[in-house]
Amino acid sequence: PWPQAPSLWTCMVTLGDSGLEQFQVMGDSDEEKIFHPGQPMCTMKSAAICGPSGSTKDNAWLIRGEPNDTFTVEFFQQGRQLSIMWMKC
C-alpha cells in the first residue's frame, strides 16, 4: 500500500505478445483471499468485485492493448468499499 493512501495497492502490468492480460487480486499472499469479477475475461472496471474468497482462475479482469503496453492497476479496499482501476502509462 501507499503511505499516503494505506487502502490503495498498485502494480504495473506489461502486456505480452497477444496484447491481452488477465488478472485477479490476492490479499496477504493467501490463495483464499482472492478478489475477482463475477465473470470471465471482464473488461468492465465497474463490474461488481467478488471476494475475498478462494477462486478459480476463470473469473478475472482483462486488459486489452498493444503488445508491450504498460498499465498501472489500482485496487482500493477500505472496509466493504472496493474498486479496481487500470490505465495505460
Side-chain angles (χ1 to χ4, degrees):
W2 287 59
Q4 323 74 309
S7 300
L8 177 67
W9 286 264
T10 65
C11 73
M12 305 294 279
V13 175
T14 300
L15 304 184
D17 292 338
S18 69
L20 304 173
E21 194 64 48
Q22 293 188 69
F23 70 95
Q24 298 174 322
V25 176
M26 181 184 294
D28 300 327
S29 299
D30 184 341
E31 291 184 11
E32 295 300 314
K33 293 182 180 178
I34 302 292
F35 295 91
H36 56 88
Q39 63 212 46
M41 299 182 73
C42 181
T43 59
M44 297 183 305
K45 298 171 188 169
S46 62
I49 298 173
C50 303
S53 62
S55 173
T56 67
K57 294 185 179 180
D58 294 333
N59 291 349
W61 288 283
L62 176 69
I63 299 174
R64 289 185 177 145
E66 297 296 321
N68 298 315
D69 280 353
T70 299
F71 288 79
T72 299
V73 176
E74 296 181 347
F75 178 73
F76 178 81
Q77 177 189 21
Q78 188 170 31
R80 299 179 106 179
Q81 301 270 355
L82 302 171
S83 67
I84 192 88
M85 172 71 104
W86 56 89
M87 58 219 119
K88 188 175 175 183
C89 297

Coordinates of all heavy atoms in Angstrom, one line a residue:
P1 N 0.8 -1.2 0.0 CA 0.0 0.0 0.0 C 0.9 1.3 0.0 O 2.0 1.2 0.4 CB -0.8 -0.1 1.3 CG -0.3 -1.2 2.1 CD 0.6 -2.0 1.2
W2 N 0.3 2.3 -0.4 CA 0.9 3.6 -0.5 C 0.8 4.3 0.9 O -0.2 4.3 1.5 CB 0.2 4.6 -1.5 CG 0.5 4.2 -2.9 CD1 0.3 3.0 -3.5 CD2 1.1 5.0 -3.9 NE1 0.6 3.1 -4.8 CE2 1.2 4.3 -5.0 CE3 1.6 6.3 -3.8 CZ2 1.7 4.8 -6.2 CZ3 2.1 6.9 -5.0 CH2 2.2 6.1 -6.2
P3 N 1.9 4.9 1.4 CA 1.8 5.5 2.7 C 0.7 6.6 2.8 O 0.1 6.8 3.8 CB 3.2 6.1 2.9 CG 4.1 5.3 2.0 CD 3.2 4.9 0.9
Q4 N 0.6 7.4 1.7 CA -0.4 8.4 1.6 C -1.9 7.9 1.5 O -2.8 8.6 1.8 CB -0.3 9.4 0.5 CG 1.1 9.8 0.0 CD 1.9 8.8 -0.8 OE1 2.1 7.7 -0.4 NE2 2.4 9.2 -1.9
A5 N -2.0 6.7 1.1 CA -3.3 6.1 0.9 C -3.2 4.6 1.3 O -3.0 3.7 0.4 CB -3.8 6.2 -0.5
P6 N -3.2 4.3 2.6 CA -3.0 2.9 3.0 C -4.0 1.9 2.5 O -3.7 0.7 2.7 CB -3.0 3.0 4.5 CG -3.7 4.3 4.8 CD -3.5 5.2 3.7
S7 N -5.1 2.3 2.0 CA -6.1 1.3 1.4 C -5.9 1.1 -0.1 O -6.8 0.5 -0.7 CB -7.5 1.8 1.7 OG -7.6 2.0 3.1
L8 N -4.9 1.7 -0.7 CA -4.7 1.6 -2.1 C -3.4 0.8 -2.4 O -2.4 1.0 -1.9 CB -4.5 3.0 -2.7 CG -4.2 3.1 -4.2 CD1 -5.4 2.6 -5.0 CD2 -3.8 4.5 -4.6
W9 N -3.6 -0.2 -3.3 CA -2.5 -1.1 -3.7 C -2.4 -0.9 -5.2 O -3.4 -0.8 -5.9 CB -2.8 -2.6 -3.5 CG -2.6 -2.9 -2.0 CD1 -1.5 -3.4 -1.4 CD2 -3.6 -2.8 -1.0 NE1 -1.7 -3.6 -0.1 CE2 -3.0 -3.2 0.2 CE3 -4.9 -2.3 -0.9 CZ2 -3.7 -3.2 1.4 CZ3 -5.6 -2.3 0.3 CH2 -5.0 -2.7 1.4
T10 N -1.1 -0.8 -5.7 CA -0.9 -0.6 -7.1 C 0.2 -1.5 -7.7 O 1.0 -2.0 -6.9 CB -0.4 0.9 -7.4 OG1 0.9 1.1 -6.8 CG2 -1.4 1.9 -6.9
C11 N 0.1 -1.8 -9.0 CA 1.2 -2.6 -9.6 C 1.2 -2.2 -11.1 O 0.3 -1.6 -11.6 CB 0.9 -4.1 -9.5 SG -0.4 -4.7 -10.4
M12 N 2.3 -2.5 -11.7 CA 2.4 -2.2 -13.2 C 2.3 -3.6 -13.9 O 2.8 -4.6 -13.4 CB 3.8 -1.7 -13.4 CG 4.1 -0.4 -12.7 SD 3.1 1.0 -13.1 CE 3.9 1.5 -14.5
V13 N 1.6 -3.5 -15.0 CA 1.4 -4.7 -15.9 C 1.8 -4.4 -17.3 O 1.3 -3.4 -17.8 CB -0.1 -5.2 -15.9 CG1 -0.3 -6.3 -16.8 CG2 -0.6 -5.5 -14.5
T14 N 2.7 -5.2 -17.8 CA 3.1 -5.0 -19.2 C 2.5 -6.1 -20.0 O 2.7 -7.3 -19.7 CB 4.6 -5.0 -19.4 OG1 5.2 -3.9 -18.6 CG2 5.1 -4.8 -20.8
L15 N 1.8 -5.8 -21.1 CA 1.1 -6.8 -21.9 C 2.1 -7.5 -22.8 O 3.1 -7.0 -23.3 CB 0.1 -6.1 -22.8 CG -1.0 -5.2 -22.1 CD1 -2.0 -4.7 -23.2 CD2 -1.7 -6.0 -21.0
G16 N 1.8 -8.8 -22.9 CA 2.7 -9.7 -23.7 C 2.3 -9.6 -25.2 O 1.6 -8.7 -25.7
D17 N 2.8 -10.6 -26.0 CA 2.6 -10.6 -27.4 C 1.2 -10.5 -27.9 O 0.9 -10.0 -29.0 CB 3.3 -11.8 -28.0 CG 4.9 -11.7 -27.9 OD1 5.4 -10.6 -27.7 OD2 5.5 -12.8 -27.9
S18 N 0.3 -11.1 -27.1 CA -1.1 -11.1 -27.5 C -1.8 -9.8 -27.3 O -2.9 -9.5 -27.9 CB -1.9 -12.2 -26.7 OG -2.0 -11.8 -25.4
G19 N -1.2 -8.9 -26.5 CA -1.9 -7.6 -26.2 C -3.0 -7.8 -25.2 O -3.8 -6.9 -25.0
L20 N -3.1 -8.9 -24.5 CA -4.1 -9.2 -23.5 C -3.4 -9.7 -22.2 O -2.4 -10.4 -22.3 CB -5.0 -10.3 -24.0 CG -5.7 -10.1 -25.3 CD1 -6.5 -11.4 -25.7 CD2 -6.7 -9.0 -25.2
E21 N -4.0 -9.3 -21.1 CA -3.5 -9.8 -19.8 C -4.7 -10.0 -18.9 O -5.5 -9.0 -18.7 CB -2.5 -8.9 -19.2 CG -1.7 -9.5 -18.1 CD -0.8 -10.7 -18.6 OE1 -0.1 -10.6 -19.6 OE2 -0.9 -11.7 -17.9
Q22 N -4.8 -11.1 -18.3 CA -5.9 -11.3 -17.3 C -5.3 -11.3 -15.9 O -4.1 -11.7 -15.7 CB -6.5 -12.7 -17.5 CG -7.3 -12.8 -18.8 CD -8.1 -14.1 -18.8 OE1 -9.0 -14.3 -18.1 NE2 -7.7 -15.0 -19.7
F23 N -6.1 -10.8 -14.9 CA -5.5 -10.7 -13.5 C -6.6 -10.8 -12.5 O -7.8 -10.5 -12.8 CB -4.7 -9.5 -13.3 CG -5.5 -8.2 -13.3 CD1 -5.9 -7.7 -12.1 CD2 -5.9 -7.6 -14.5 CE1 -6.7 -6.5 -12.1 CE2 -6.6 -6.4 -14.5 CZ -7.0 -5.9 -13.3
Q24 N -6.2 -11.2 -11.3 CA -7.0 -11.2 -10.1 C -6.2 -10.5 -9.0 O -5.0 -10.3 -9.3 CB -7.4 -12.6 -9.6 CG -8.2 -13.4 -10.6 CD -8.5 -14.8 -10.2 OE1 -7.6 -15.4 -9.6 NE2 -9.6 -15.3 -10.4
V25 N -6.8 -10.1 -7.9 CA -6.0 -9.5 -6.8 C -6.0 -10.5 -5.6 O -7.1 -11.0 -5.2 CB -6.7 -8.2 -6.4 CG1 -6.0 -7.6 -5.2 CG2 -6.7 -7.2 -7.6
M26 N -4.8 -10.8 -5.1 CA -4.6 -11.7 -4.0 C -4.3 -10.9 -2.8 O -3.3 -10.1 -2.8 CB -3.5 -12.7 -4.3 CG -3.3 -13.7 -3.1 SD -1.9 -14.8 -3.4 CE -2.5 -15.8 -4.8
G27 N -5.0 -11.1 -1.7 CA -4.7 -10.4 -0.4 C -3.8 -11.2 0.5 O -3.9 -12.4 0.6
D28 N -2.8 -10.6 1.0 CA -1.9 -11.2 2.0 C -1.2 -12.4 1.5 O -0.9 -13.3 2.3 CB -2.6 -11.5 3.3 CG -3.2 -10.2 4.0 OD1 -2.6 -9.2 3.8 OD2 -4.3 -10.4 4.6
S29 N -1.0 -12.5 0.2 CA -0.3 -13.7 -0.4 C -1.1 -15.0 -0.1 O -0.5 -16.0 0.1 CB 1.1 -13.8 0.0 OG 1.9 -12.7 -0.4
D30 N -2.4 -14.9 0.1 CA -3.2 -16.0 0.5 C -4.2 -16.4 -0.6 O -5.0 -15.6 -1.0 CB -4.0 -15.6 1.8 CG -4.8 -16.7 2.4 OD1 -5.1 -17.7 1.7 OD2 -5.2 -16.6 3.6
E31 N -4.1 -17.6 -1.1 CA -5.0 -18.1 -2.2 C -6.4 -18.1 -1.8 O -7.3 -18.3 -2.7 CB -4.5 -19.4 -2.7 CG -3.1 -19.3 -3.4 CD -2.7 -20.6 -4.1 OE1 -3.4 -21.5 -4.1 OE2 -1.5 -20.6 -4.5
E32 N -6.7 -18.0 -0.5 CA -8.1 -18.0 -0.1 C -8.6 -16.5 0.0 O -9.8 -16.3 0.5 CB -8.3 -18.7 1.3 CG -8.0 -20.2 1.1 CD -8.9 -20.9 0.2 OE1 -10.1 -20.7 0.2 OE2 -8.4 -21.7 -0.6
K33 N -7.8 -15.6 -0.3 CA -8.2 -14.1 -0.3 C -8.1 -13.5 -1.7 O -7.4 -12.5 -1.9 CB -7.4 -13.4 0.7 CG -7.6 -13.8 2.2 CD -6.8 -13.0 3.1 CE -7.0 -13.4 4.6 NZ -6.1 -12.6 5.5
I34 N -8.8 -14.1 -2.6 CA -8.8 -13.6 -4.0 C -9.9 -12.7 -4.2 O -11.1 -13.0 -3.9 CB -8.8 -14.8 -5.0 CG1 -7.6 -15.7 -4.8 CG2 -8.8 -14.3 -6.4 CD1 -6.3 -15.2 -5.1
F35 N -9.7 -11.5 -4.8 CA -10.7 -10.6 -5.3 C -10.8 -10.8 -6.8 O -9.7 -10.8 -7.5 CB -10.4 -9.2 -4.9 CG -10.4 -8.9 -3.4 CD1 -9.2 -9.0 -2.7 CD2 -11.5 -8.5 -2.8 CE1 -9.2 -8.8 -1.3 CE2 -11.5 -8.3 -1.4 CZ -10.4 -8.4 -0.7
H36 N -12.0 -10.8 -7.4 CA -12.1 -11.1 -8.8 C -13.5 -10.6 -9.2 O -14.4 -10.4 -8.4 CB -12.0 -12.6 -9.1 CG -13.0 -13.4 -8.2 ND1 -14.2 -13.7 -8.7 CD2 -12.9 -13.9 -7.0 CE1 -14.9 -14.4 -7.8 NE2 -14.1 -14.6 -6.7
P37 N -13.7 -10.4 -10.5 CA -15.0 -10.0 -11.0 C -15.9 -11.3 -11.0 O -15.4 -12.4 -10.9 CB -14.8 -9.5 -12.4 CG -13.6 -10.3 -12.9 CD -12.7 -10.5 -11.6
G38 N -17.2 -11.1 -11.2 CA -18.1 -12.3 -11.2 C -18.2 -12.9 -12.6 O -19.1 -13.8 -12.8
Q39 N -17.4 -12.6 -13.5 CA -17.4 -13.2 -14.8 C -16.1 -13.3 -15.4 O -15.1 -12.7 -15.0 CB -18.3 -12.3 -15.7 CG -17.7 -10.9 -15.9 CD -18.7 -9.8 -16.1 OE1 -19.7 -9.8 -15.4 NE2 -18.5 -9.0 -17.1
P40 N -15.9 -14.2 -16.4 CA -14.6 -14.4 -17.0 C -14.3 -13.3 -18.0 O -15.2 -12.6 -18.5 CB -14.7 -15.8 -17.8 CG -16.2 -16.0 -17.9 CD -16.9 -15.2 -16.8
M41 N -13.0 -13.0 -18.2 CA -12.5 -12.0 -19.1 C -13.2 -10.7 -19.0 O -13.7 -10.1 -20.0 CB -12.5 -12.6 -20.6 CG -11.7 -13.9 -20.7 SD -11.6 -14.6 -22.3 CE -10.6 -13.3 -23.2
C42 N -13.3 -10.2 -17.8 CA -14.1 -9.0 -17.6 C -13.3 -7.7 -17.9 O -12.2 -7.5 -17.4 CB -14.5 -8.9 -16.1 SG -15.5 -7.5 -15.7
T43 N -13.8 -6.9 -18.8 CA -13.2 -5.7 -19.2 C -13.8 -4.4 -18.5 O -13.3 -3.3 -18.7 CB -13.2 -5.5 -20.7 OG1 -14.6 -5.5 -21.1 CG2 -12.5 -6.6 -21.4
M44 N -14.8 -4.7 -17.7 CA -15.5 -3.5 -17.1 C -14.9 -3.2 -15.7 O -15.0 -4.0 -14.8 CB -17.0 -3.9 -16.9 CG -17.7 -4.1 -18.2 SD -19.5 -4.4 -18.0 CE -19.5 -5.8 -16.9
K45 N -14.4 -2.0 -15.6 CA -13.9 -1.6 -14.3 C -15.0 -1.4 -13.2 O -14.8 -1.4 -12.0 CB -13.1 -0.2 -14.5 CG -12.0 -0.4 -15.4 CD -11.4 0.9 -15.8 CE -10.3 0.8 -16.8 NZ -9.9 2.0 -17.4
S46 N -16.2 -1.2 -13.7 CA -17.4 -1.0 -12.8 C -18.1 -2.3 -12.4 O -19.0 -2.3 -11.7 CB -18.4 -0.1 -13.5 OG -18.9 -0.7 -14.7
A47 N -17.6 -3.5 -12.9 CA -18.2 -4.7 -12.5 C -18.1 -5.0 -11.0 O -17.1 -4.5 -10.4 CB -17.5 -5.9 -13.3
A48 N -19.1 -5.6 -10.4 CA -19.0 -6.0 -9.0 C -17.8 -6.8 -8.7 O -17.4 -7.7 -9.5 CB -20.3 -6.8 -8.6
I49 N -17.1 -6.5 -7.6 CA -15.9 -7.2 -7.2 C -16.3 -8.2 -6.1 O -17.0 -7.9 -5.1 CB -14.9 -6.2 -6.6 CG1 -14.5 -5.2 -7.6 CG2 -13.7 -7.0 -6.0 CD1 -13.6 -4.1 -7.1
C50 N -16.0 -9.5 -6.4 CA -16.3 -10.6 -5.5 C -15.1 -10.9 -4.7 O -13.9 -10.7 -5.1 CB -16.7 -11.8 -6.3 SG -18.0 -11.6 -7.5
G51 N -15.3 -11.5 -3.5 CA -14.3 -11.9 -2.6 C -14.2 -11.0 -1.4 O -15.0 -10.1 -1.2
P52 N -13.2 -11.3 -0.5 CA -12.1 -12.3 -0.7 C -12.6 -13.7 -0.5 O -13.4 -14.0 0.4 CB -11.1 -11.9 0.3 CG -11.9 -11.3 1.4 CD -13.0 -10.6 0.8
S53 N -12.2 -14.6 -1.4 CA -12.5 -16.0 -1.3 C -11.5 -16.8 -2.1 O -10.7 -16.2 -2.9 CB -13.9 -16.2 -1.8 OG -14.0 -15.8 -3.2
G54 N -11.6 -18.1 -2.0 CA -10.8 -18.9 -2.9 C -11.5 -18.8 -4.3 O -12.7 -18.6 -4.4
S55 N -10.8 -18.8 -5.3 CA -11.4 -18.7 -6.7 C -10.6 -19.5 -7.7 O -9.4 -19.6 -7.6 CB -11.3 -17.2 -7.1 OG -11.7 -17.0 -8.4
T56 N -11.3 -19.9 -8.7 CA -10.6 -20.5 -9.8 C -10.0 -19.3 -10.6 O -10.4 -18.2 -10.4 CB -11.6 -21.3 -10.7 OG1 -12.5 -20.4 -11.3 CG2 -12.3 -22.4 -9.9
K57 N -9.2 -19.6 -11.6 CA -8.7 -18.5 -12.4 C -9.6 -18.1 -13.5 O -9.3 -17.3 -14.4 CB -7.3 -18.9 -12.9 CG -6.3 -19.0 -11.8 CD -4.9 -19.3 -12.3 CE -4.0 -19.4 -11.1 NZ -2.7 -19.7 -11.4
D58 N -10.8 -18.8 -13.6 CA -11.8 -18.5 -14.6 C -12.3 -17.0 -14.6 O -12.4 -16.4 -15.7 CB -13.0 -19.4 -14.6 CG -12.6 -20.9 -14.8 OD1 -11.6 -21.1 -15.5 OD2 -13.3 -21.7 -14.3
N59 N -12.6 -16.5 -13.4 CA -13.1 -15.2 -13.3 C -12.0 -14.2 -13.1 O -11.4 -14.2 -12.0 CB -14.2 -15.1 -12.2 CG -15.4 -15.8 -12.6 OD1 -15.6 -16.2 -13.7 ND2 -16.3 -16.0 -11.6
A60 N -11.7 -13.4 -14.1 CA -10.6 -12.4 -14.0 C -10.8 -11.2 -14.8 O -11.6 -11.3 -15.7 CB -9.3 -13.1 -14.4
W61 N -10.2 -10.1 -14.5 CA -10.3 -8.9 -15.3 C -9.4 -9.1 -16.5 O -8.4 -9.8 -16.4 CB -9.8 -7.7 -14.5 CG -10.9 -7.3 -13.5 CD1 -12.0 -6.6 -13.7 CD2 -10.8 -7.5 -12.1 NE1 -12.7 -6.4 -12.5 CE2 -12.0 -7.0 -11.5 CE3 -9.9 -8.1 -11.2 CZ2 -12.3 -7.0 -10.2 CZ3 -10.2 -8.2 -9.9 CH2 -11.3 -7.6 -9.4
L62 N -9.7 -8.4 -17.6 CA -8.9 -8.5 -18.8 C -8.5 -7.1 -19.2 O -9.4 -6.2 -19.4 CB -9.7 -9.2 -19.9 CG -9.1 -9.2 -21.3 CD1 -7.9 -10.2 -21.3 CD2 -10.1 -9.7 -22.3
I63 N -7.2 -6.9 -19.4 CA -6.7 -5.7 -20.0 C -6.4 -5.9 -21.5 O -5.7 -6.9 -21.8 CB -5.4 -5.2 -19.3 CG1 -5.8 -4.9 -17.8 CG2 -4.9 -3.9 -19.9 CD1 -4.5 -4.6 -17.0
R64 N -6.8 -5.0 -22.3 CA -6.5 -5.1 -23.8 C -5.7 -3.9 -24.2 O -6.0 -2.8 -23.8 CB -7.8 -5.1 -24.6 CG -8.6 -6.4 -24.5 CD -9.8 -6.3 -25.4 NE -10.5 -7.6 -25.3 CZ -11.8 -7.7 -25.4 NH1 -12.6 -6.6 -25.6 NH2 -12.4 -8.9 -25.3
G65 N -4.8 -4.2 -25.1 CA -3.9 -3.1 -25.6 C -3.0 -3.7 -26.7 O -3.3 -4.7 -27.3
E66 N -2.0 -3.0 -26.9 CA -1.0 -3.4 -27.9 C 0.1 -4.2 -27.2 O 0.4 -3.9 -26.0 CB -0.4 -2.2 -28.6 CG -1.4 -1.4 -29.5 CD -1.9 -2.3 -30.6 OE1 -1.2 -3.0 -31.2 OE2 -3.2 -2.1 -30.9
P67 N 0.8 -5.1 -27.8 CA 1.9 -5.8 -27.2 C 2.9 -4.8 -26.6 O 3.2 -3.7 -27.2 CB 2.6 -6.6 -28.3 CG 1.4 -6.9 -29.2 CD 0.6 -5.6 -29.2
N68 N 3.4 -5.0 -25.4 CA 4.4 -4.2 -24.6 C 3.8 -2.9 -24.1 O 4.5 -2.1 -23.5 CB 5.6 -3.9 -25.5 CG 6.3 -5.2 -25.8 OD1 6.6 -6.0 -25.0 ND2 6.7 -5.3 -27.1
D69 N 2.4 -2.7 -24.2 CA 1.8 -1.6 -23.5 C 1.9 -1.8 -22.0 O 1.8 -3.0 -21.5 CB 0.3 -1.4 -23.8 CG 0.1 -0.7 -25.2 OD1 1.0 -0.2 -25.8 OD2 -1.1 -0.7 -25.6
T70 N 2.2 -0.8 -21.2 CA 2.2 -0.9 -19.8 C 1.1 -0.2 -19.1 O 0.7 0.9 -19.6 CB 3.6 -0.3 -19.2 OG1 4.6 -1.1 -19.8 CG2 3.7 -0.5 -17.7
F71 N 0.4 -0.8 -18.1 CA -0.7 -0.3 -17.4 C -0.4 -0.2 -16.0 O 0.3 -1.1 -15.4 CB -1.9 -1.1 -17.7 CG -2.5 -1.1 -19.1 CD1 -1.9 -1.7 -20.1 CD2 -3.6 -0.3 -19.3 CE1 -2.4 -1.7 -21.4 CE2 -4.2 -0.2 -20.6 CZ -3.6 -0.9 -21.6
T72 N -1.0 0.8 -15.3 CA -1.0 0.8 -13.8 C -2.3 0.3 -13.4 O -3.4 0.7 -13.9 CB -0.8 2.3 -13.3 OG1 0.4 2.8 -13.7 CG2 -0.9 2.3 -11.8
V73 N -2.3 -0.7 -12.5 CA -3.5 -1.3 -11.9 C -3.6 -0.8 -10.5 O -2.6 -0.8 -9.7 CB -3.5 -2.8 -11.9 CG1 -4.7 -3.4 -11.2 CG2 -3.4 -3.3 -13.3
E74 N -4.8 -0.3 -10.1 CA -5.0 0.2 -8.7 C -6.2 -0.5 -8.1 O -7.2 -0.6 -8.7 CB -5.3 1.7 -8.7 CG -4.2 2.6 -9.2 CD -4.6 4.1 -9.2 OE1 -5.8 4.4 -9.0 OE2 -3.6 4.9 -9.3
F75 N -6.0 -1.1 -6.9 CA -7.0 -1.8 -6.2 C -7.2 -1.0 -4.9 O -6.2 -0.8 -4.1 CB -6.6 -3.2 -5.9 CG -7.7 -4.0 -5.1 CD1 -8.9 -4.4 -5.7 CD2 -7.4 -4.3 -3.8 CE1 -9.8 -5.1 -4.9 CE2 -8.3 -5.0 -3.0 CZ -9.5 -5.4 -3.6
F76 N -8.4 -0.6 -4.6 CA -8.7 0.1 -3.4 C -9.7 -0.7 -2.5 O -10.7 -1.2 -3.0 CB -9.4 1.5 -3.7 CG -9.8 2.3 -2.5 CD1 -8.8 3.1 -1.9 CD2 -11.1 2.3 -2.1 CE1 -9.2 3.8 -0.8 CE2 -11.4 3.0 -1.0 CZ -10.5 3.8 -0.3
Q77 N -9.3 -0.8 -1.2 CA -10.2 -1.5 -0.3 C -10.2 -0.8 1.0 O -9.1 -0.6 1.7 CB -9.7 -2.9 0.0 CG -10.5 -3.7 1.0 CD -9.9 -5.0 1.4 OE1 -8.7 -5.2 1.3 NE2 -10.7 -5.8 2.0
Q78 N -11.3 -0.3 1.4 CA -11.5 0.3 2.7 C -12.8 -0.2 3.3 O -13.9 0.2 2.8 CB -11.5 1.8 2.6 CG -11.5 2.5 4.0 CD -11.2 4.0 3.9 OE1 -11.6 4.6 2.9 NE2 -10.6 4.6 4.9
G79 N -12.7 -1.1 4.3 CA -13.9 -1.7 4.8 C -14.5 -2.5 3.7 O -13.9 -3.4 3.1
R80 N -15.8 -2.3 3.4 CA -16.5 -3.0 2.4 C -16.5 -2.3 1.0 O -17.0 -2.8 0.1 CB -18.0 -3.2 2.8 CG -18.1 -4.0 4.1 CD -19.5 -4.2 4.5 NE -19.8 -5.6 4.2 CZ -21.0 -6.1 4.5 NH1 -21.9 -5.4 5.0 NH2 -21.2 -7.4 4.2
Q81 N -15.8 -1.1 1.0 CA -15.7 -0.4 -0.2 C -14.5 -1.0 -1.0 O -13.4 -1.0 -0.6 CB -15.4 1.1 0.1 CG -16.4 1.8 0.9 CD -17.5 2.4 0.0 OE1 -17.4 2.4 -1.2 NE2 -18.5 2.9 0.6
L82 N -14.8 -1.4 -2.3 CA -13.8 -2.0 -3.1 C -13.9 -1.3 -4.5 O -15.0 -1.0 -5.0 CB -14.0 -3.5 -3.3 CG -14.1 -4.4 -2.1 CD1 -14.5 -5.8 -2.5 CD2 -12.7 -4.4 -1.5
S83 N -12.7 -1.1 -5.1 CA -12.8 -0.6 -6.5 C -11.5 -1.1 -7.2 O -10.5 -1.3 -6.6 CB -12.9 0.9 -6.6 OG -11.7 1.5 -6.1
I84 N -11.6 -1.2 -8.5 CA -10.5 -1.6 -9.4 C -10.4 -0.6 -10.5 O -11.4 -0.1 -11.0 CB -10.6 -3.1 -9.8 CG1 -9.3 -3.6 -10.5 CG2 -11.8 -3.2 -10.8 CD1 -8.4 -4.2 -9.5
M85 N -9.1 -0.3 -10.9 CA -8.9 0.6 -12.0 C -7.6 0.3 -12.7 O -6.7 -0.2 -12.1 CB -8.8 2.1 -11.4 CG -8.4 3.1 -12.4 SD -9.7 3.4 -13.6 CE -10.3 5.0 -12.9
W86 N -7.6 0.5 -14.0 CA -6.3 0.3 -14.7 C -6.3 1.4 -15.8 O -7.3 1.8 -16.3 CB -6.1 -1.1 -15.3 CG -7.2 -1.6 -16.2 CD1 -7.2 -1.5 -17.5 CD2 -8.3 -2.4 -15.8 NE1 -8.3 -2.1 -18.0 CE2 -9.0 -2.6 -17.0 CE3 -8.8 -2.8 -14.6 CZ2 -10.2 -3.4 -17.0 CZ3 -10.0 -3.5 -14.6 CH2 -10.7 -3.8 -15.8
M87 N -5.1 1.9 -16.0 CA -4.9 2.9 -17.0 C -3.5 2.8 -17.7 O -2.6 2.3 -17.0 CB -5.1 4.3 -16.4 CG -4.1 4.7 -15.3 SD -5.0 5.6 -14.1 CE -4.8 4.5 -12.7
K88 N -3.5 3.1 -18.9 CA -2.3 3.0 -19.7 C -1.3 4.0 -19.2 O -1.7 5.2 -19.0 CB -2.6 3.1 -21.2 CG -1.4 2.8 -22.1 CD -1.8 2.9 -23.5 CE -0.6 2.7 -24.4 NZ -0.9 2.8 -25.8
C89 N 0.0 3.6 -19.1 CA 1.0 4.6 -18.6 C 1.5 5.4 -19.8 O 1.4 5.0 -20.9 CB 2.2 3.8 -18.0 SG 1.7 2.9 -16.6

